[in-house]
Amino acid sequence: GYNKKQGNGEMSVPISQTTAYAFRDSEHAANLFALKELGPIYTRLTNPTTDVLEQRYAALEGGAAAICTSSGQAASFYAVANVAEAGDNILISDKLYGGSVTLLTYTLKRFGIKTKVFKSDDASNLEELIDDKTKAIYFESLSNPQIAIPAVEKIVEVAKKHGVITICDNTVATAALFNPIKWGVDVVVHSTSKYTNGQGTAIGGIVVERDGLAEFFKANSKRYYHFTTPDESYHGLVYTDVPLPNFCLRIRLSLLRDIGATQSPLNSWLLIQTLETLALRVDKHSDNALVIAKFLESHPKVKSVSYPGLKNDKYYDKAQKYFKDGKSSGLISFEVSTFEEAKKIIDSVKLFSVVVNIGDSKSLITHPASTTHSQLSEEELAKAGVNPVTVRLSIGLENTTDLIDDLTQALDK
């Protein structure tokens, strides 16, 4: 996405910290807006620095195109809003990040979009939930905080049978460990604020689409008519007639244009830097997390540990099948006897920081039931596999001996 032989040859991708761009003349401006020429128009829509990140992320995920957003939540919203409208429904996994649950269940309801929940472990009830108004199937490749791995192949198989778009949130597993598109998924979303950034310095999100979605939309034109019929808001443009990846194009020309949850050029630049070390960091996060998970598994006060890297974990076989070298990223959940005990552990740690973010180089600890999933009812928490005695760890890059020492003193108090 960047040519060092042009411009001044900067080794670091330059920041195009600008709102707007000067056109050569009126014809140039008109051609850009009519898509007769491609180039930056306005930073709400396009930006040269952001374009580099989008190209690199598409390559990393094995996709045809990507589009950056202001946050992971914006990426999830755009991915769904790009295909669904009032009267439609989407199917979501029973194991999702709390913010995704509230967005997709409650906020979308106000837009007239209904949500139905399927069992992600085996997708056993997925097919029966699909009807002619189903527009997307949304799931996480590695869920937060349940640390669960879905039946990816079964989900994709059912979706393709019925001609329904699949959307996979790959934030926790990351593109360094898992590429959903290679397993048949149509669209991938990330909160790049997490492992992609890795430093807790930038909020961002991204949507990546697989190659060939234009043909998919044509084959399923009744379900996705807004890709194959004229868009009155853009001079009658038919997206499937444009020789560009359709999914991201429609987000850019419709949703970014009208809603404007756009990533800042500075955040794009920060994410470009950290993307270069993603594979190295995720490898270390995974190695450290496995050491910590084994320690927790052996501690008498810990009732259970959820981490797919452990051989006795229910998702171990799926981790070996789907993830690079069977590594399982840096999230761990564990349970103790009581809420009071969970709270005491969180309040007693010294090296771990009490933070609701994940994927940072620094180790983090939180209580999901009262923070990230606090919006959910007791019934919803139970269905999501989150309870008051669950503690979630995001294992960083520190020395594991120091991390174990910190958890030991917290557990033993």
Side-chain angles (χ1 to χ4, degrees), residues 72-111:
Q73 285 288 83
S76 296
F77 174 73
Y78 280 168
V80 172
N82 205 31
V83 292
E85 62 188 11
D88 291 338
N89 65 76
I90 62 168
L91 310 183
I92 66 170
S93 162
D94 57 349
K95 294 181 174 66
L96 282 186
Y97 162 61
S100 297
V101 174
T102 52
L103 165 66
L104 301 175
T105 303
Y106 297 106
T107 299
L108 284 185
K109 184 179 180 180
R110 298 185 65 197
F111 288 81

Coordinates of all heavy atoms in Angstrom, one line a residue, residues 72-111:
G72 N -14.1 -0.7 16.8 CA -14.6 -2.0 16.5 C -16.1 -2.1 16.4 O -16.7 -2.8 15.6
Q73 N -16.8 -1.3 17.4 CA -18.2 -1.3 17.4 C -18.7 -0.7 16.1 O -19.8 -1.2 15.5 CB -18.7 -0.4 18.5 CG -18.6 -1.1 19.9 CD -19.6 -2.2 20.1 OE1 -19.4 -3.4 19.7 NE2 -20.7 -1.9 20.7
A74 N -18.1 0.3 15.5 CA -18.5 0.9 14.3 C -18.3 -0.1 13.1 O -19.2 -0.2 12.2 CB -17.7 2.2 14.0
A75 N -17.3 -0.9 13.2 CA -17.0 -1.9 12.2 C -18.2 -3.0 12.2 O -18.7 -3.4 11.1 CB -15.7 -2.6 12.4
S76 N -18.5 -3.4 13.4 CA -19.6 -4.4 13.5 C -20.9 -3.8 13.0 O -21.7 -4.5 12.3 CB -19.8 -4.8 15.0 OG -18.6 -5.5 15.4
F77 N -21.2 -2.6 13.4 CA -22.5 -1.9 13.0 C -22.5 -1.8 11.5 O -23.5 -2.1 10.8 CB -22.6 -0.6 13.7 CG -23.8 0.2 13.1 CD1 -25.1 -0.1 13.5 CD2 -23.6 1.3 12.3 CE1 -26.2 0.6 13.0 CE2 -24.7 2.0 11.8 CZ -26.0 1.6 12.2
Y78 N -21.4 -1.3 10.9 CA -21.4 -1.1 9.4 C -21.6 -2.4 8.7 O -22.3 -2.5 7.7 CB -20.1 -0.4 9.0 CG -20.0 1.1 9.2 CD1 -18.8 1.7 9.1 CD2 -21.2 1.8 9.5 CE1 -18.7 3.1 9.3 CE2 -21.1 3.2 9.7 CZ -19.9 3.8 9.6 OH -19.8 5.2 9.7
A79 N -20.9 -3.5 9.2 CA -21.0 -4.8 8.5 C -22.4 -5.3 8.5 O -22.9 -5.8 7.4 CB -20.1 -5.8 9.2
V80 N -23.2 -5.1 9.5 CA -24.6 -5.5 9.6 C -25.5 -4.6 8.8 O -26.3 -5.0 8.0 CB -25.0 -5.7 11.0 CG1 -26.5 -6.0 11.1 CG2 -24.3 -6.9 11.7
A81 N -25.3 -3.3 9.1 CA -26.2 -2.3 8.4 C -26.0 -2.2 6.9 O -26.9 -1.8 6.2 CB -25.8 -0.9 9.0
N82 N -24.9 -2.8 6.5 CA -24.6 -2.8 5.0 C -25.5 -3.8 4.3 O -25.7 -3.7 3.1 CB -23.1 -3.2 4.8 CG -22.6 -2.7 3.5 OD1 -23.0 -1.7 2.9 ND2 -21.6 -3.4 2.9
V83 N -26.0 -4.8 5.1 CA -26.9 -5.8 4.4 C -28.3 -5.9 4.9 O -29.2 -6.4 4.3 CB -26.2 -7.2 4.6 CG1 -24.9 -7.3 3.7 CG2 -26.0 -7.6 6.0
A84 N -28.5 -5.3 6.2 CA -29.9 -5.5 6.8 C -30.6 -4.1 6.9 O -30.0 -3.1 7.0 CB -29.7 -6.1 8.2
E85 N -31.9 -4.2 6.9 CA -32.7 -3.0 7.0 C -34.0 -3.4 7.8 O -34.2 -4.5 8.2 CB -33.1 -2.5 5.6 CG -34.0 -3.5 4.8 CD -34.2 -3.0 3.4 OE1 -33.5 -2.0 3.0 OE2 -35.0 -3.6 2.7
A86 N -34.8 -2.4 8.1 CA -36.0 -2.6 8.9 C -36.8 -3.8 8.3 O -37.1 -3.9 7.1 CB -36.9 -1.3 8.9
G87 N -37.2 -4.7 9.2 CA -38.0 -5.9 8.8 C -37.1 -7.1 8.6 O -37.7 -8.2 8.5
D88 N -35.8 -6.9 8.6 CA -34.9 -8.0 8.4 C -34.5 -8.6 9.8 O -34.8 -8.0 10.8 CB -33.6 -7.6 7.7 CG -33.9 -7.3 6.2 OD1 -34.9 -7.8 5.7 OD2 -33.1 -6.5 5.6
N89 N -33.8 -9.7 9.8 CA -33.2 -10.3 11.0 C -31.8 -10.7 10.8 O -31.4 -11.0 9.6 CB -34.1 -11.4 11.6 CG -34.1 -12.6 10.6 OD1 -33.2 -13.4 10.6 ND2 -35.3 -12.8 10.0
I90 N -31.0 -10.8 11.8 CA -29.7 -11.4 11.8 C -29.6 -12.5 12.9 O -30.3 -12.4 13.8 CB -28.6 -10.3 12.0 CG1 -28.7 -9.7 13.4 CG2 -28.6 -9.3 10.9 CD1 -27.5 -8.8 13.8
L91 N -28.7 -13.4 12.7 CA -28.5 -14.5 13.6 C -27.1 -14.2 14.3 O -26.1 -14.0 13.6 CB -28.5 -15.8 12.9 CG -29.7 -16.1 12.0 CD1 -29.6 -17.5 11.5 CD2 -31.0 -15.9 12.8
I92 N -27.1 -14.2 15.6 CA -25.8 -14.0 16.3 C -25.5 -15.2 17.2 O -26.4 -15.9 17.7 CB -25.9 -12.7 17.2 CG1 -26.9 -12.8 18.3 CG2 -26.2 -11.5 16.3 CD1 -26.8 -11.7 19.3
S93 N -24.2 -15.4 17.5 CA -23.7 -16.4 18.3 C -24.2 -16.2 19.8 O -24.4 -15.1 20.2 CB -22.2 -16.5 18.2 OG -21.7 -17.2 19.3
D94 N -24.3 -17.3 20.5 CA -24.7 -17.2 21.9 C -23.5 -16.9 22.8 O -23.6 -16.7 24.0 CB -25.3 -18.5 22.4 CG -24.4 -19.8 22.2 OD1 -23.4 -19.6 21.5 OD2 -24.7 -20.8 22.7
K95 N -22.3 -16.8 22.2 CA -21.1 -16.4 22.9 C -20.4 -15.2 22.2 O -19.7 -15.4 21.3 CB -20.1 -17.6 23.0 CG -20.7 -18.8 23.8 CD -19.7 -19.9 23.9 CE -20.1 -21.0 24.9 NZ -21.3 -21.7 24.3
L96 N -20.8 -14.0 22.7 CA -20.3 -12.8 22.1 C -19.9 -11.8 23.2 O -20.4 -11.9 24.3 CB -21.4 -12.1 21.2 CG -21.8 -12.6 19.9 CD1 -22.8 -11.7 19.2 CD2 -20.5 -12.8 19.0
Y97 N -19.0 -10.9 22.8 CA -18.6 -9.8 23.6 C -19.9 -9.0 24.0 O -20.8 -8.8 23.2 CB -17.7 -8.9 22.8 CG -17.5 -7.5 23.3 CD1 -17.0 -7.2 24.6 CD2 -17.8 -6.4 22.5 CE1 -16.8 -5.9 25.1 CE2 -17.6 -5.1 23.0 CZ -17.1 -4.9 24.3 OH -17.0 -3.6 24.7
G98 N -20.0 -8.5 25.2 CA -21.2 -7.9 25.7 C -21.6 -6.7 24.9 O -22.8 -6.4 24.7
G99 N -20.6 -5.9 24.5 CA -20.9 -4.7 23.7 C -21.5 -5.1 22.3 O -22.4 -4.4 21.8
S100 N -21.1 -6.2 21.8 CA -21.7 -6.7 20.5 C -23.1 -7.1 20.7 O -24.0 -6.9 19.9 CB -20.9 -7.8 20.0 OG -19.6 -7.4 19.6
V101 N -23.4 -7.8 21.9 CA -24.7 -8.2 22.2 C -25.7 -7.1 22.3 O -26.8 -7.1 21.7 CB -24.7 -9.0 23.5 CG1 -26.2 -9.4 23.9 CG2 -23.9 -10.3 23.4
T102 N -25.3 -6.0 23.0 CA -26.2 -4.9 23.2 C -26.4 -4.1 21.9 O -27.5 -3.7 21.5 CB -25.7 -3.9 24.2 OG1 -24.3 -3.6 24.0 CG2 -25.8 -4.5 25.6
L103 N -25.3 -4.0 21.1 CA -25.4 -3.3 19.8 C -26.4 -4.1 18.9 O -27.3 -3.5 18.3 CB -24.1 -3.2 19.1 CG -24.1 -2.9 17.6 CD1 -24.6 -1.5 17.4 CD2 -22.6 -3.1 17.0
L104 N -26.1 -5.4 18.7 CA -26.9 -6.2 17.7 C -28.3 -6.6 18.2 O -29.1 -6.9 17.4 CB -26.0 -7.5 17.4 CG -24.6 -7.2 16.8 CD1 -23.9 -8.5 16.7 CD2 -24.7 -6.4 15.5
T105 N -28.5 -6.6 19.5 CA -29.8 -7.0 20.0 C -30.7 -5.9 20.3 O -31.9 -5.9 19.9 CB -29.6 -7.9 21.3 OG1 -28.8 -9.0 21.1 CG2 -31.0 -8.4 21.8
Y106 N -30.2 -4.8 21.0 CA -31.0 -3.7 21.4 C -31.0 -2.5 20.5 O -32.0 -2.0 20.1 CB -30.6 -3.4 22.8 CG -30.9 -4.5 23.8 CD1 -29.8 -5.2 24.3 CD2 -32.2 -4.8 24.2 CE1 -30.1 -6.3 25.2 CE2 -32.4 -5.9 25.1 CZ -31.4 -6.6 25.6 OH -31.6 -7.6 26.4
T107 N -29.8 -2.0 20.2 CA -29.7 -0.9 19.3 C -30.3 -1.1 17.9 O -31.1 -0.3 17.4 CB -28.3 -0.4 19.2 OG1 -27.8 0.0 20.5 CG2 -28.2 0.9 18.3
L108 N -30.0 -2.3 17.3 CA -30.5 -2.6 16.0 C -32.0 -2.8 16.0 O -32.7 -2.6 15.0 CB -29.8 -3.8 15.5 CG -28.4 -3.7 14.9 CD1 -27.9 -5.0 14.3 CD2 -28.3 -2.5 13.9
K109 N -32.5 -3.2 17.2 CA -34.0 -3.4 17.3 C -34.7 -2.1 17.1 O -35.8 -2.1 16.5 CB -34.3 -3.9 18.7 CG -35.8 -4.2 19.0 CD -35.9 -4.7 20.4 CE -37.4 -5.1 20.7 NZ -37.6 -5.6 22.0
R110 N -34.1 -1.0 17.5 CA -34.7 0.4 17.2 C -34.6 0.7 15.8 O -35.4 1.7 15.3 CB -34.0 1.4 18.1 CG -34.1 1.2 19.6 CD -33.5 2.3 20.4 NE -34.2 3.5 20.2 CZ -33.8 4.7 20.4 NH1 -32.5 4.9 20.9 NH2 -34.5 5.8 20.3
F111 N -33.8 0.1 15.0 CA -33.8 0.3 13.5 C -34.7 -0.7 12.8 O -34.7 -0.8 11.6 CB -32.3 0.1 13.0 CG -31.4 1.2 13.4 CD1 -30.8 1.3 14.6 CD2 -31.1 2.2 12.5 CE1 -29.9 2.3 15.0 CE2 -30.2 3.2 12.8 CZ -29.6 3.3 14.1

